[in-house]
Amino acid sequence: MDAQWDDLKVFLAVARNESLSAAGRVLKVDPATVGRRIARLEETLKVALFAKSPQGYALTNGGQRLMSHAVRAEQEMLMAFEDVGERGRQLSGQIRLGAPDGSANFLLPQVCSGIVEQNPDLEVQIVALPRVINLSKREADMAITVSAPTAGRLSVQKISDYKLHLVASRKYLRNAAPIHSRDDLRHHRFIGYIQDMIFDKELDYLSEAGLDKVHLASNSFSVQFNWIRQAAGIGFMHDFAIPFSRGLEKVLKDEISLTRSFYLVRHADDRRLERMNRFAEALAVGIKKEVARLEGQT
């Protein structure tokens, strides 16, 4: 039975990381051992669990059926340890959090470091990707998103609204044509997302503001932030990011202002895990306070 549970943990690692080497790094064993354990499990079950391709290891139909059972077994094991262990103790172990790079760079470092300071045995990992985090594959234990997903067995909690404005550096504004109205914007360089790489419609800021020309584009908000900071042009910026660089100024702040929201998305089954609930509560409270604090500085 122990061997079967161990093989199941190896299966979950390969399914989530889509390669033997990546799974081996997570499990701290060599890829050859991972491969042997998967082969043993497939032999025991008499079914192929993965299809290998140049892109990595993809679940077969049999693998997908096993995945749902394996995740439930994993969660039941976690619940058992929580139930038997001491209640009310500090958080411990590893929690992986996925987030867009705007929040990952300008909100989560302060919030998560505060949570870890209160829980020294806790390890928080922030996965900052310019795309939707796949919770079904366990790329993360939970994710911050800018829109509420409507598909899948997920738990969705709205955390906080936040503001965005057009922003430029004072250096750029000193050397560029004056801006008194929307019409004046046509004489300026714009910074924004690569249009065909916008993974969520809520990130299409320029289109919503009636601006269709992007001169400098990146799929990363951090790159856009640095372009704006270095006087390369004008772009939309979260109000909570503005305090991280001196010399930035809102442009037409009374005419052009956007409001967006952050959501905390979790696996529905994780609602039964007290450890995850406590971390999620601390995270949501921390993000809301940090957004309010930073926006208050602008």
Side-chain angles (χ1 to χ4, degrees), residues 267-298:
H267 305 277
D269 292 338
D270 283 356
R271 300 288 296 187
R272 298 183 296 168
L273 299 174
E274 182 62 23
R275 171 173 167 271
M276 290 296 186
N277 289 338
R278 288 170 56 199
F279 177 80
E281 180 180 2
L283 183 69
V285 170
I287 289 175
K288 190 169 185 175
K289 287 182 177 179
E290 191 65 6
V291 168
R293 183 184 75 84
L294 292 170
E295 288 190 346
Q297 296 181 25
T298 66

Side-chain angles (χ1 to χ4, degrees), residues 17 26 94-98 123-127 138-143:
N17 294 278
V26 171
Q94 180 189 100
I95 295 178
R96 180 173 291 181
L97 175 64
E123 176 189 344
V124 177
Q125 299 179 346
I126 297 175
V127 181
R138 291 282 172 166
E139 290 183 336
D141 296 300
M142 57 185 72

